[in-house]
């Protein structure tokens, strides 16, 4: 059984996609052991509670400095015997201490086709604003392992989504969530749960079915 700690900051639609995929069998041999938010108001915490999953907030504001916040986060992740950390819209930079403790055991969903529109400052709606400003005709989403860089870790899955005339950042965000994020995030977890994803030389290799 793969034990997931899901880290969230906001609405939690990707968390919901994981919860639903476990419920309907698209993800098997996997359990969400806890959901942690840095933001006490995150709707994601309610989604977790409704699904009967332990949900808690660890806010940086409750700690004297960043280091103590990071220590508390790592301690809570360890306490639940986590196998895989899933960043599902987690808007906090994960510190090296956690990345080293969970090497190739942290995955993130990013709302573009990496290496486009990623790195520092590219998160949430900003990503879609930048894609529309550039005039790309195709965008999408990426699930990748997290390393010490920002959005630089080995790519696991990507899915392209068409940009349409008249798109706003909001309409593009929604289409990318519906057509890409909510599909490839559960798929990546299912692949990892069944030992099908291998990392070599900064790239992933996925066993065929
Ligand atoms: C998602 O679009 C996710 O890809 C993005 O934040 C949103 C969270 O939505 N993540 C990033 O931008 C990370 N750099 P959700 O809370 O409804 O899952």
């Amino acid at each position: 059984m793969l034990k997931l700690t899901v880290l969230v900051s906001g609405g939690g639609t990707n968390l919901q996609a994981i919860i639903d995929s476990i419920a309907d069998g698209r993800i098997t041999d996997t359990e969400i052991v806890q959901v942690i938010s840095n933001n006490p108001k995150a709707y994601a915490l309610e989604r977790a509670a409704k699904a009967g999953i332990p949900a808690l907030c660890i806010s940086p504001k409750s700690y004297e400095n960043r280091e103590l916040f990071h220590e508390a986060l790592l301690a809570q992740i360890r306490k639940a015997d986590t196998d895989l950390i899933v960043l599902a819209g987690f808007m906090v930079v994960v510190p090296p201490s956690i990345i080293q403790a969970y090497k190739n055991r942290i995955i993130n969903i990013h709302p573009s086709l990496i290496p486009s529109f990623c790195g520092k400052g590219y998160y949430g709606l900003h990503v879609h604003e930048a894609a529309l400003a550039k005039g790309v005709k195709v965008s999408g989403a990426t699930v990748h392992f997290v390393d010490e860089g920002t959005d630089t870790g080995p790519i696991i899955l990507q899915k392209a989504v068409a940009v349409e005339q008249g798109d706003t950042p909001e309409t593009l965000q929604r289409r990318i969530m519906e057509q890409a994020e909510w599909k490839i995030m559960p798929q990546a977890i299912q692949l990892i749960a069944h030992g099908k994803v291998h990392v070599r030389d900064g790239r992933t290799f996925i066993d065929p079915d």
Side-chain angles (χ1 to χ4, degrees):
M1 191 64 99
L2 187 78
K3 295 194 185 119
L4 309 181
T5 286
V6 184
L7 303 184
V8 295
S9 299
T13 64
N14 279 287
L15 167 67
Q16 191 67 54
I18 300 166
I19 292 171
D20 294 347
S21 299
I22 292 173
D24 70 18
R26 276 174 292 156
I27 299 177
T28 53
D29 303 313
T30 300
E31 177 193 0
I32 303 176
V33 290
Q34 60 182 348
V35 171
I36 306 174
S37 173
N38 61 306
N39 164 17
K41 296 200 182 112
Y43 184 64
L45 287 173
E46 278 182 48
R47 292 183 190 270
K50 273 187 198 151
I53 299 163
L56 63 148
C57 173
I58 298 183
S59 166
K61 291 185 185 142
S62 313
Y63 297 88
E64 236 171 72
N65 56 48
R66 215 65 193 171
E67 210 176 350
L68 291 174
F69 164 62
H70 292 156
E71 271 174 26
L73 193 55
L74 179 56
Q76 183 60 38
I77 290 166
R78 283 197 161 126
K79 201 168 151 192
D81 217 3
T82 304
D83 298 313
L84 183 73
I85 301 172
V86 178
L87 310 184
F90 189 54
M91 301 305 174
V92 169
V93 177
V94 178
S97 55
I98 298 184
I99 291 167
Q100 279 149 24
Y102 285 85
K103 192 168 162 45
N104 291 334
R105 291 197 296 147
I106 309 174
I107 63 171
N108 179 48
I109 180 95
H110 184 77
S112 75
L113 295 173
I114 289 174
S116 288
F117 311 116
C118 63
K120 212 164 175 280
Y122 288 97
Y123 59 89
L125 272 182
H126 299 301
V127 177
H128 307 296
E129 283 161 6
L132 292 176
K134 184 67 191 171
V136 293
K137 304 302 177 203
V138 173
S139 190
T142 303
V143 180
H144 63 94
F145 284 113
V146 174
D147 66 8
E148 271 90 351
T150 306
D151 303 326
T152 53
I155 291 169
I156 304 166
L157 292 176
Q158 293 188 298
K159 193 163 190 292
V161 173
V163 177
E164 289 176 8
Q165 294 279 358
D167 259 339
T168 62
E170 290 79 8
T171 60
L172 182 58
Q173 178 183 53
R174 183 74 193 178
R175 188 174 321 108
I176 289 174
M177 283 178 156
E178 285 175 358
Q179 295 184 8
E181 296 187 37
W182 302 341
K183 294 187 173 151
I184 62 174
M185 180 58 120
Q187 282 167 4
I189 293 168
Q190 173 71 350
L191 289 169
I192 292 168
H194 294 272
K196 294 193 174 206
V197 182
H198 312 281
V199 181
R200 249 189 345 262
D201 300 330
R203 296 159 61 193
T204 68
F205 295 84
I206 296 174
D207 294 340
D209 283 334

